[in-house]
Amino acid sequence: MARDPRYDPLFEPIKIGPVTAPNRFYQVPHCTGMGYRRPQMLAAMRGVKAEGGWGVVCTEYCSIHASSDESPYPSASLRDDDDVRNLRLMTDAVHAQGSLAGVELWYGGHTSANLYSREVALDVASLANTSSQGVPVQSQAMSKADIREFRDLHRKAARRALEADFDIVYVYGNHGYLLHNFLNPYFNRRADEYGGSIDNRVRLLREVIEDVSEIVAGRSAVAVRYSMPMQLDDDDEGLIECFQQIAELPDLWDITVNDYRYEMGSSRFVKEAANQAAVAKVKSMTGKPVVSVGRFTSPDTMLAQVANGTQDFIGAARPSIADPFLPRKIDQGRLEDIRECIGCNVCYAHDSLGVPLRCTQNPTMGEEWRRGWHPERIESRHADESVLIVGAGPAGLEAACALGQRGYQVILAEAEQELGGRINRESRLPGLSEYARVRDWRLGQLAGMENVQVYPDNRLDVESILELDSQHVILATGATWRSDGVGRWSNLPFAGCDQDNVIGVERILEGFLPDGPVVIYDDDHYYLGSAIALRLCSAGVRVAMVTPEVALAGWSQHTEEHSLIMETLIEAGVQIITAKGLVGWQSGTVQLECIYSGSESIIETDYLVPISARVANDELWHGLDSQREKFTDRGGLSLQRTGDCRAPGIIAAAVYAGHKAARELGQTEVKFKRDRVVVK
Ligand code: ADP
Ligand code: SF4
């Protein structure tokens, strides 16, 4: 199919200083959890993005000195010749597809605890460390000599960037790192020529832009990453005035807003193209090209951005992770094949845990090199064989798509009338509607596959599975929430868990609405507890939430949702009780135990909703497993379980598991390479 000519403006080349981007699709710098530690995984992943049509593909933040070290998160690194060689892998992979490669030079400042290097971080002042580990150390206030050295570090790194063949070299002026802190009067209280007036506060950023420009002149473009205030009429940092001073200095502006919760906003709280007022403001103040992110997944929204002049490039991190081939699909007129990001921030969560990123929608993300998985291509079937998949939640749907793509004869049977499993129930909760994309993209793919037959409203048992005579059976029957409180804090049920008015999560998800006050006990620590609380609040139910951790919904700190979850719960009037475990329930009384002292307390309420662990729906598995002989006698070749019915987890884990089961069907040897330093 050919491209709809309406989208032509997205495919027009554009100059960025001395280089030319082939189109308007720009993968901005984004973390990967791979960085300097996994150069081969990183290069393959970035190369796939370029293959998928991203005209510019950038590194993540790239350390220029040992004192800029955010271990355990692995940044990229451009500190010596070995780094140059490693990053060449990426630039070669990107150039091989005709795209430009960008590198984001980075010096952290007081945000860097330097836990690996044990160096002292420099910054505009001696500021307390603000890393998520909350390390009790401070930065060293920079002297003039330090400033000269800092500028020199950038010059050296820019030279290495040229050696590594980068086309765009970034100066990093935001995200609370050193250069941003010089701009910010809240941190910058200096009395010398680098503090005080706007001119002075912007001086160091200006000097570094000039230094880097001088080094790369004529060979690479210089980009600056910069934040605008969230509210343009509330610019207490003076970011707009600072910008005016340097508006024409670099070759490109990469613009964000100065509140990471919104820049990296999850779909629960921030929708597509949310930061456009800030971007339009920048565009009105500079003649240089502008790129910005907005979790763009709709080609029409993208087109509007470029056509109405809000920005010159469609910046993307998450949409390029969920679908590395998004630009190609627009180019080829295959809009229905675009796998849209759901805004869950599971990608970011894993980077923030210091491990390679992964994606709920795209199970191949991060697996390009080590497993040889490509987001669009998959090995053809190993033989003309049939596969039965039982259960059409995320795992079953993904397995059916991938096996269908491989060319097997596939039957997908689902007990419910509606396909989608947990997605159907959870995506109806407040803020989670975009999660439905996990189901909808897969249903769209399956609709075009003649070799996949789908049977909703078909609950299979052992006998019916055996009768179907499929050569391969994959069980993806999911898991069920427990209502007895067994979970992370306690491996024993609480007393009275089987009494009246203990309401399981499944009942709430099915629509049960309590007619009196509710205590939600959250030992799951992710999105579900708060989403249920907000649904109940919106129906007028009074809610208290109890958690055995020191913070409610603690895991959502990794997805950058925590602060907005708390803000929303507090605004909705939810009472929050932390560090208390659930020990009992008796006719309207919740009994709690302090996790430290063991002292007991009670809360009076009408209903208790415990959210803790889940139980795998594995009866079918055990039934079949015990009748393997019957299965093989009838020509059965393989039997496996996948997703939540094997080990309950997050949606991303189920999609990945379903994909893995499909990829590995019929394979005798499973590929898994390790990207690590090998001593020679
Ligand atoms: P996962 O996240 O692992 O995909 P889900 O719980 O989302 O798991 O989905 C499991 C799906 O399996 C549900 O839609 C459920 O209705 C379906 N299912 C469970 N048991 C059977 C069965 N015996 N026959 C057909 N479908 C089943
Ligand atoms: Fe989008 Fe979630 Fe994938 Fe990240 S993990 S790219 S937020 S779908």
Side-chain angles (χ1 to χ4, degrees):
M1 267 193 289
R3 171 166 95 217
D4 181 335
R6 276 192 322 122
Y7 297 119
D8 287 352
L10 294 172
F11 292 88
E12 277 170 17
I14 177 170
K15 274 182 84 64
I16 312 174
V19 298
T20 302
N23 60 36
R24 305 306 179 93
F25 296 96
Y26 191 117
Q27 182 244 275
V28 296
H30 74 74
C31 301
T32 61
M34 300 176 195
Y36 71 89
R37 281 194 212 132
R38 320 250 179 247
Q40 298 176 100
M41 286 172 72
L42 194 58
M45 184 271 282
R46 303 282 193 208
V48 163
K49 300 248 199 120
E51 186 193 347
W54 296 91
V56 179
V57 178
C58 299
T59 62
E60 54 265 83
Y61 63 160
C62 183
S63 171
I64 60 172
H65 189 256
S67 60
S68 183
D69 156 27
E70 275 193 352
S71 299
Y73 319 130
S75 65
S77 172
L78 201 41
R79 285 163 38 196
D80 57 28
D81 291 345
D82 289 336
D83 284 337
V84 169
R85 257 195 310 283
N86 283 352
L87 281 172
R88 263 314 274 242
L89 291 178
M90 175 213 159
T91 55
D92 286 350
V94 169
H95 290 154
Q97 304 296 334
S99 301
L100 300 179
V103 61
E104 184 182 41
L105 305 184
W106 165 69
Y107 190 96
H110 76 290
T111 59
S112 302
N114 298 331
L115 291 173
Y116 173 73
S117 68
R118 303 182 71 173
E119 294 286 324
V120 168
L122 304 177
D123 211 326
V124 63
S126 183
L127 302 171
N129 175 258
T130 52
S131 66
S132 58
Q133 297 91 9
V135 185
V137 294
Q138 292 179 217
S139 56
Q140 170 190 323
M142 286 166 94
S143 66
K144 295 282 182 55
D146 293 329
I147 288 177
R148 282 193 294 278
E149 201 178 321
F150 174 80
R151 292 177 57 184
D152 201 41
L153 287 178
H154 275 86
R155 287 195 205 93
K156 286 181 180 144
R159 272 187 210 105
R160 285 189 211 105
L162 289 179
E163 282 170 41
D165 217 8
F166 281 103
D167 310 285
I168 301 171
V169 182
Y170 269 72
V171 173
Y172 202 160
N174 63 349
H175 289 156
Y177 294 129
L178 188 147
L179 284 166
H180 187 180
N181 299 335
F182 270 79
L183 300 177
N184 189 346
Y186 176 69
F187 290 127
N188 185 348
R189 309 281 172 97
R190 296 176 74 102
D192 62 8
E193 68 268 36
Y194 288 95
S197 66
I198 292 277
D199 260 5
N200 285 355
R201 291 188 341 244
V202 92
R203 186 180 309 279
L204 185 57
L205 179 56
R206 176 201 295 279
E207 287 173 347
V208 174
I209 298 171
E210 286 168 353
D211 293 339
V212 170
S213 301
E214 197 184 302
I215 302 294
V216 304
R219 295 175 63 188
S220 294
V222 175
V224 178
R225 222 172 194 194
Y226 193 87
S227 294
M228 278 282 130
M230 259 303 284
Q231 308 296 336
L232 290 170
D233 53 2
D234 185 15
D235 185 14
D236 55 0
E237 288 185 54
L239 288 166
I240 297 174
E241 269 188 275
C242 288
F243 183 86
Q244 274 164 343
Q245 305 270 321
I246 48 175
E248 301 302 325
L249 217 49
D251 299 308
L252 174 115
W253 286 101
D254 181 339
I255 297 301
T256 61
V257 289
N258 66 344
D259 185 336
Y260 204 59
R261 299 175 310 164
Y262 288 90
E263 180 192 339
M264 186 67 209
S266 74
S267 60
R268 273 184 85 168
F269 303 106
V270 182
K271 300 300 173 196
E272 187 179 27
N275 303 327
Q276 294 320 288
V279 184
K281 176 77 180 169
V282 163
K283 192 70 186 140
S284 73
M285 292 193 295
T286 178
K288 299 297 169 117
V290 173
V291 60
S292 178
V293 294
R295 211 164 49 76
F296 298 109
T297 59
S298 151
D300 286 326
T301 311
M302 296 179 204
L303 180 64
Q305 296 296 304
V306 172
N308 70 19
T310 308
Q311 58 195 66
D312 302 277
F313 288 97
I314 301 306
R318 289 170 290 174
S320 75
I321 293 169
D323 196 341
F325 272 61
L326 188 154
R328 284 264 180 274
K329 289 174 183 174
I330 299 176
D331 193 23
Q332 294 169 349
R334 296 167 48 214
L335 304 193
E336 66 286 356
D337 288 337
I338 294 173
R339 194 170 39 222
E340 290 181 285
C341 166
I342 69 166
C344 59
N345 287 356
V346 159
C347 45
Y348 180 73
H350 287 81
D351 163 65
S352 82
L353 290 164
V355 295
L357 86 172
R358 58 215 58 193
C359 172
T360 302
Q361 276 284 57
N362 173 12
T364 67
M365 179 46 53
E367 307 297 339
E368 301 82 357
W369 181 83
R370 66 179 184 180
R371 290 192 189 274
W373 290 359
H374 189 276
E376 300 299 307
R377 294 189 292 275
I378 190 164
E379 210 170 290
S380 297
R381 63 176 191 248
H382 74 292
D384 188 8
E385 288 173 355
S386 58
V387 189
L388 168 67
I389 302 166
V390 186
L397 285 174
E398 176 59 27
C401 285
L403 287 165
Q405 201 187 347
R406 289 189 66 188
Y408 290 97
Q409 287 302 320
V410 178
I411 294 177
L412 174 62
E414 165 56 49
E416 304 285 326
Q417 276 181 345
E418 208 187 343
L419 307 186
R422 66 184 291 186
I423 298 292
N424 297 335
R425 296 183 293 278
E426 293 176 21
S427 63
R428 286 195 277 261
L429 291 170
L432 297 182
S433 61
E434 287 187 42
Y435 281 34
R437 292 173 174 178
V438 172
R439 171 196 66 205
D440 295 343
W441 182 79
R442 288 168 178 82
L443 292 185
Q445 298 297 297
L446 291 176
M449 292 181 180
E450 286 178 3
N451 53 328
V452 181
Q453 292 168 285
V454 181
Y455 295 97
D457 207 7
N458 263 281
R459 180 172 291 278
L460 301 191
D461 55 18
V462 173
E463 285 313 309
S464 51
I465 291 174
L466 291 174
E467 272 165 27
L468 279 167
D469 286 344
S470 293
Q471 286 148 309
H472 303 276
V473 174
I474 299 177
L475 299 184
T477 48
T480 306
W481 288 97
R482 308 181 71 111
S483 54
D484 59 5
V486 169
R488 195 194 290 180
W489 185 72
S490 171
N491 209 32
L492 294 174
F494 60 89
C497 64
D498 50 1
Q499 289 186 19
D500 287 349
N501 290 5
V502 174
I503 310 295
V505 172
E506 303 290 350
R507 251 183 99 195
I508 297 278
L509 292 177
E510 280 158 16
F512 175 78
L513 191 59
D515 56 6
V518 170
V519 167
I520 296 175
Y521 174 69
D522 187 2
D523 195 19
D524 171 53
H525 312 288
Y526 194 17
Y527 57 83
L528 206 58
S530 58
I532 287 176
L534 292 172
R535 175 200 261 182
L536 298 183
C537 286
S538 69
V541 177
R542 190 147 51 84
V543 178
M545 290 191 74
V546 178
T547 176
E549 296 285 345
V550 287
L552 189 71
W555 208 78
S556 66
Q557 283 170 356
H558 300 297
T559 57
E560 199 59 34
E561 289 170 293
H562 186 254
S563 148
L564 289 173
I565 286 176
M566 294 306 291
E567 186 180 316
T568 320
L569 289 175
I570 291 165
E571 279 172 3
V574 175
Q575 184 193 357
I576 293 164
I577 299 155
T578 58
K580 299 246 193 292
L582 172 62
V583 288
W585 165 257
Q586 206 177 20
S587 58
T589 305
V590 185
Q591 290 147 8
L592 302 173
E593 181 182 299
C594 171
I595 61 164
Y596 303 113
S597 66
S599 64
E600 294 210 353
S601 55
I602 57 163
I603 311 178
E604 305 285 341
T605 188
D606 287 357
Y607 294 92
L608 171 64
V609 179
I611 308 179
S612 54
R614 287 185 291 159
V615 184
N617 299 332
D618 55 7
E619 313 83 31
L620 203 50
W621 162 259
H622 290 297
L624 271 173
D625 195 33
S626 62
Q627 302 206 34
R628 266 180 191 267
E629 273 174 24
K630 272 196 197 163
F631 176 64
T632 41
D633 287 351
R634 301 177 74 116
L637 298 172
S638 77
L639 176 61
Q640 62 173 306
R641 54 185 161 164
T642 192
D644 290 330
C645 78
R646 183 175 176 201
I650 60 174
I651 297 168
V655 171
Y656 174 79
H659 191 83
K660 187 164 182 287
R663 284 258 178 189
E664 294 177 357
L665 193 87
Q667 280 189 3
T668 44
E669 206 181 323
V670 173
K671 182 172 161 187
F672 185 78
K673 292 192 285 184
R674 290 168 64 197
D675 198 359
R676 62 189 161 147
V677 176
V678 178
V679 179
K680 292 228 168 95

